[in-house]
Amino acid sequence: MSEEKVLYIDASNQILGRLASIIAKKLLEGYRVIVVNAEKAVVSGEKNRVLEGYKILFRVKTHYNPETKGVRRPRTPANIFKRTVRGMLPIDKPKGRDAFKRLRVYIGVPSNMKNIAFIQFPEASVSRLRNRYVYLEEVAKAIGWRGVKK
């Protein structure tokens, strides 16, 4: 039996979309991916425009019971991150579902992972952006996340 390949990724100052596409490819290659500091990932674009883009998804309603039914939208940074990666996987096929099960996303760094060396991808670095960006934590708080319980 082969040894499992594990990637430990730090999402601090990494562009959300670029990082998600890299992670999706790694998951499909068979890696187990663990992402920390999901709240410190960045979404490129002007703040108000990004926030309105996420808030518009909450106005989508269904016809059969708009109060109780409908699409559940993620509000925590970890779940927003996971949903972004999920959108880049063939989730309707078994290989996509299996790949998604190998993804773990954390807010902050868990205490049992303090001494692990995390990697970052230079092609997803925020230094590539010339214009404005907003942190995923700010987006999550704007759409209803209450923050980490301390």
Side-chain angles (χ1 to χ4, degrees):
M1 192 173 202
S2 65
E3 195 171 308
E4 190 175 45
K5 303 176 281 186
V6 181
L7 281 178
Y8 295 96
I9 299 173
D10 184 9
S12 299
N13 295 320
Q14 300 275 292
I15 303 168
L16 177 64
R18 290 184 185 271
L19 184 60
S21 66
I22 294 167
I23 289 172
K25 288 176 187 175
K26 295 295 182 185
L27 287 168
L28 289 172
E29 289 173 8
Y31 285 90
R32 178 172 296 278
V33 178
I34 298 170
V35 181
V36 297
N37 291 324
E39 76 281 4
K40 294 178 184 172
V42 301
V43 180
S44 62
E46 196 231 347
K47 184 177 181 177
N48 291 333
R49 188 171 177 159
V50 170
L51 295 181
E52 284 304 313
Y54 275 93
K55 286 180 183 178
I56 202 169
L57 297 173
F58 289 100
R59 291 196 290 263
V60 174
K61 299 292 181 191
T62 61
H63 289 292
Y64 42 88
N65 194 348
E67 284 78 30
T68 60
K69 302 285 189 229
V71 180
R72 302 286 184 225
R73 303 290 180 183
R75 285 184 165 85
T76 67
N79 288 339
I80 293 170
F81 195 100
K82 284 182 80 168
R83 185 70 185 200
T84 306
V85 174
R86 181 183 182 269
M88 298 182 184
L89 290 171
I91 206 71
D92 56 337
K93 296 182 177 152
K95 71 175 185 176
R97 287 191 296 273
D98 292 341
F100 189 63
K101 289 176 187 175
R102 290 193 298 270
L103 175 66
R104 295 287 178 264
V105 180
Y106 296 100
I107 297 171
V109 181
S111 58
N112 60 345
M113 294 185 192
K114 294 283 187 199
N115 55 357
I116 293 174
F118 296 100
I119 62 170
Q120 289 191 326
F121 297 102
E123 59 267 24
S125 176
V126 74
S127 63
R128 294 187 57 170
L129 294 177
R130 283 186 247 139
N131 294 326
R132 298 180 183 146
Y133 57 87
V134 59
Y135 285 95
L136 197 55
E137 181 175 26
E138 295 174 47
V139 173
K141 285 188 177 178
I143 61 175
W145 182 53
R146 295 189 186 109
V148 178
K149 295 176 178 97
K150 293 180 180 180

